[in-house]
Every structure is written in structure tokens, then in C-alpha cells.
Amino acid sequence: MRRARLIALLSLIVSAVGASVLAGPAQPVQALAAVRTCAQRTPGFHTSTFKAGGVVRSYTVYVPTTWSPTGNRPSVWVLHGMGGEAEGTIWGSKLKVQADQDGFVVVAPQGLGLPSTWSVSTTTLRISGSDAAMFTRLPAKVVSDWCLDPSRQYVAGYSAGSVVTHAMACRGGFPFAGYAGAGAQSWLSTCPTPNPFDFVYFHGTADPYVPFGGDASLPSVTVSLAQMASANACETSPTVTSIGTDITQYTWTSCAAGRRLLLDVLQGGGHVWPGADYIPGLGNNTTTISADQVISDFWSLAR
């Protein structure tokens, strides 16, 4: 019920700010030929399709200029918010810039429907045609197609996409080495005890759509992270650090199996992906940190 209410709330964002959420300039797209080996592929944007449970899904891969088929590179998957678009999210989040700098590959699947979104109610169920069917099967194809490191695939989500990353971490069993999210806390105390996991999370204290302090159906961000830390068998109290004048960072490092949690709180921040361009209607962003840089540093993605 909490996730259903959160998705209903996030749908209001689409009508408030339109499909501009993490949007970017339209760019020429190079379609991938299924018969190509990774040695025949080239840097740039590539859009392809994948059939999961009889449902054809579209996804975009951005390959940095420094990529080579022998690189065994890590990858970051990014999930758009409600009403978002795959390639536009790579641009709007500025993950393209970070990927070019650090050398990792970005993968952006496209949600279904109008407005585009994720089937959160079935994200954690391996049923035919569900998002979970795609997230459990597509990563292996992307790894094979682009000669990537299968053990260094990470997934980050914004807004409705963040709800999905929470759901995957909650249930476990997905081929991702770590999770990240921004703008939608969705950890539930009813989650089964999952395998230990890494999680990086960002949220503004003045988020106009998903309250930092929670509401009648959503826990607060601090409660959500405390529950996540408990599920991960982390120490009770995180280390607290101030970064600049507007970022309070909480880190849990003594967790099961060496896993870590990180929470960056944007003081006065809105419903944003930290470091992305300002979008009217979403509230204040920050220039003190970049979510892309934090994610890259957290998992040591730079070559």
C-alpha cells in the first residue's frame, strides 16, 4: 500500500513539471545489430530492444569514448522517474559526463505506459513480462554485448525509479552489486531479511512531493535508512559529516559482509538528482555534490 500511494503521489510530478524530469537534448541514436560481437561495437549512444516474458522492452546504452572491448568495465544502470525517458535521463542526470570521465558504461531501460513508469507492484516478482523479469535477465545480455564486468553492475533510480531500487534491495536476487536512489524513500519494515547490500541515497529536506519527514503512509527518510541499516546488520549510529553548507552525510560502514550505506541529505533541497540542472517546480538543487560523482567514488568506478 505504501508503494502504491507513493507511485500515485509521484504521478502528480508529471502533471506539475511534465516530461522534463531529468530530460536531455534529443540525440541521434545508433541501433545495435543483434549479430555484433562486443569487439565490433563503438562508443556513443545505442538503443536496442529485449523481450522479457513476451514483452518487448527498450533500453539505451551509453558507451564512453575511452571504452574498449577488452576493458571489462563496470556499468551503472539508471532508472528514470515517472514520465521520464531513457536517453534523456542519461543526459539530464549528467551520468554521460561522469561516464566519459571515469570510463564506466551507462544502461538506461525504458519504463512502460503513458506516462512511462515502472511496474512497482511486480518489480520483485519473477512473473512473465514484469519489470523483474527484465532486471533479472537483461543484465547478462548487456554484459555479453559490451564485454562488461558482471560482478560490477550497479543500479540507481530517480523518483519512481528510486522506488524500484528500494524494492530490488528489499527482495534481493538481482544481479546488481549495489543500489542507489534519489527522491523517493521506500524501504519497508516488512521487507524480508535480504542478502547484505550497498545502498547510496539522496533526499532533500524541502522535497515538495515526497516529504523528507514522511507522512501517514511513508516512513521518514531517517527511519527508512535506520531500517535499512538494521536489515544490513550495520552499527547503530552512523558517522555524520557536514559537506559545504548544505549537505549532511551519514555513513554506515560496519555492516554485514563488508557492505556500506550512505545517505546524503540536501538541506533545503527539493525533489532532485543532486548536481543535475535546475528544473522549475522540483525545488532547489545543490552544486556542493554531484550524485554521479558520489556514486562513482562510492564504488570506485573510475579507471
Side-chain angles (χ1 to χ4, degrees), residues 17-33:
V17 299
S20 62
V21 176
L22 290 187
Q27 297 292 322
V29 173
Q30 178 181 345
L32 295 181

Side-chain angles (χ1 to χ4, degrees), residues 243-261:
I243 303 176
T245 60
D246 63 341
I247 304 297
T248 305
Q249 186 172 87
Y250 300 81
T251 55
W252 292 260
T253 56
S254 298
C255 304
R259 299 299 189 179
R260 301 163 296 153
L261 303 179

Side-chain angles (χ1 to χ4, degrees), residues 241-249 264-267 286 288-289:
T241 306
S242 294
I243 303 176
T245 60
D246 63 341
I247 304 297
T248 305
Q249 186 172 87
D264 277 342
V265 176
L266 287 61
Q267 302 298 335
T286 181
T288 303
I289 63 169

